[in-house]
């Protein structure tokens, strides 16, 4: 019986995670990526609870690092550049703490 193969388009976090899992269960993943090389500035990876748990299971969470600025604020901005309202941000908890001065 031939090894099943899967074509994965994109070498982002989702593509890599999918390839890793398929390889674990006996598939042969084939990844195609349009970009000729990695970006010099790096990549933005925003992980919420499920993403953090997945990165932990993959064994890459510690390698990703945490560049969160706990004092930073995130805003949703419309197409004209007008700051609408505070966004959720990646360094803040999902629920609003009762005594947080920025909220």
């Amino acid at each position: 019986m031939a090894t099943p193969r899967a074509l994965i388009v994109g070498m982002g976090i989702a593509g890599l995670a999918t390839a890793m899992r398929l390889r674990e269960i006996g598939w042969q993943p084939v990844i195609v990526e349009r970009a000729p090389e990695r970006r010099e500035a790096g990549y933005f990876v925003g992980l919420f609870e499920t993403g953090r748990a997945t990165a932990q299971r993959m064994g890459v969470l510690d390698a990703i690092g945490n560049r969160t600025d706990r004092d930073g604020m995130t805003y949703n901005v419309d197409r004209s550049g007008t700051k609408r309202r505070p966004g959720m941000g990646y360094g803040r908890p999902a629920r609003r703490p009762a005594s947080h001065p920025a909220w």
Side-chain angles (χ1 to χ4, degrees):
M1 182 176 195
T3 301
R5 292 176 23 157
L7 177 64
I8 299 170
V9 179
M11 206 164 160
I13 190 72
L16 293 174
T18 301
M20 286 178 66
R21 183 64 183 129
L22 286 171
R23 181 71 131 183
E24 287 173 359
I25 63 172
W27 285 59
Q28 180 183 359
V30 177
I31 303 173
V32 294
E33 172 58 57
R34 180 174 31 180
E37 58 190 35
R38 292 178 57 179
R39 291 184 232 160
E40 285 185 29
Y43 296 84
F44 174 79
V45 178
L47 300 177
F48 293 100
E49 289 183 39
T50 302
R52 288 181 56 79
T54 301
Q56 182 75 42
R57 281 194 309 275
M58 290 173 64
V60 300
L61 183 60
D62 292 336
I64 292 172
N66 186 349
R67 296 183 181 179
T68 302
D69 178 0
R70 292 279 179 192
D71 296 327
M73 289 294 294
T74 302
Y75 290 91
N76 293 330
V77 178
D78 65 18
R79 290 178 185 252
S80 69
T82 304
K83 197 175 355 176
R84 292 280 184 163
R85 58 185 159 75
M88 185 154 72
Y90 291 94
R92 287 186 256 142
R95 292 193 185 99
R96 179 177 147 175
S99 63
H100 194 288
W103 300 15

